[in-house]
Amino acid sequence: MKDISCKLLVIGAGPGGYVCAIRAGQLGVDTVIVEMEKAGGTCLNIGCIPSKALIHAADEFEKTVRMANGNGKGTLGITVEAPKLDLAKTMTWKNGVVGRLNNGVVGLLKKAGVKIVHGRAKFRDGKTVEVETETGTQVIRTETAVIATGSMPMELPALPFGGPVISSTEALSLTKVPERLVVVGGGYIGLELGTAFAKFGSKVTVVEALPRILPQYDAELTRPVAKRLGELGVAVLTEAMAMGLSAKGDALIVKTADGQEQELPADKILVTVGRKPVMEGWGLEELDLDRAGKFLRIDSQCRTSMRGVYAIGDVTGEPTLAHRAMAQGEMVAEIVAGNRRSWDKRCIPAICYTDPEVVSAGLSPEEARAQGHEIKVGQFPYTANARAMTMQGEAGFVRVVARADNHLVLGIQAVGQHVSELATAFGLAIEMGARLEDIAGTIHAHPTQGEAFQEAALKALGHAIHI
């Protein structure tokens, strides 16, 4: 097989890798991308996108169940018969969404003139990679390489994946709703999927080792989520440790906060204790790369310790978010093309698609104070927002954190129905250096949930209108 030579080689076609390759192609850089599975990576194929599709289906099903039962937050005068769920058909719909997006990524790569090589890549040295393809070994020589190998679910030594113990990957492909589901890990992945399956009808128990769920967010933000879990019948055990399977393999043994062991019956045990970077199988041992703990060490321009070798995305550390990887990939493409670029990472919004949703952009009040800032905080509840009332989504609030001296906005947080759609406005305000007066003085359309953003700024200034 004839060797390939290129200016830029990207290993991994996840969000960071494919964005890097597309932008490089647009800039006229001779680019090759290698992917051993499907374009789009974990996010598109077995992560962000399929999970959000499943969450949407669960929301719709739960609404019809409430309407059929005539209880909950109101039936809106709508009467329906008892709904039924065919999870296999739900998964088929989800796979259709994923497939359309996957084909879209492939089309965009081709449009940008990027050559796609399917197979497992392995470095021979910093400039040479061999790829095991279906038709043999393909050697690729490059001037610059980008490592975008992503991450994978972590397993617990006492609960290796297999049998009833599953990761998020398997959870997103189930064709039958488990009657009893135990989720190990009360972070965003566990709670997103646990909430979805609770709405589908599973009896869900969440086991979290720390004192509270969603520890990456402050307690005030997560309180409405905890309340909603209770309404859905989800049992939450905090300060509890998963010890392993029972002898029959039909229950999880847990050590509770009081030191007692308890068996939790389970048809499936979903382990969501985090993700780890993919550091094996691509020839790391042939390179001389510095590490930052379990990740690759990079500088502010995503350069590794080897000249001509960049790294982006989950393999470079926290936050392991698709949009962070995309921003890194776009910047690296610009640099390889000869443009001057740096990456301002002051605001990388984080979203948890629970019920209600949680958004955090910039600094929380605690983080701002820890950095020595004197702050003003304005918070506006959705119980006073007309649009939230019309959507039966009054749980939650928007909070703005600003410097006390010049009112520069340092952070914005929200919890509520569909508040993920406000993340763009939050990030834009922080990146453009908005002050409280800028947000308060911007005319926000009525009725919208975004009005709570303006009202929170007004509250921080001391003159909220609607509360």
Side-chain angles (χ1 to χ4, degrees), residues 182-202:
V182 175
V183 179
V184 180
Y188 72 96
I189 297 175
L191 290 190
E192 286 181 1
L193 292 177
T195 299
F197 277 100
K199 291 180 177 181
F200 283 145
S202 293

Side-chain angles (χ1 to χ4, degrees), residues 324-338:
R324 170 181 177 264
M326 290 175 168
Q328 289 177 319
E330 192 268 343
M331 177 193 68
V332 168
E334 293 274 352
I335 292 171
V336 173

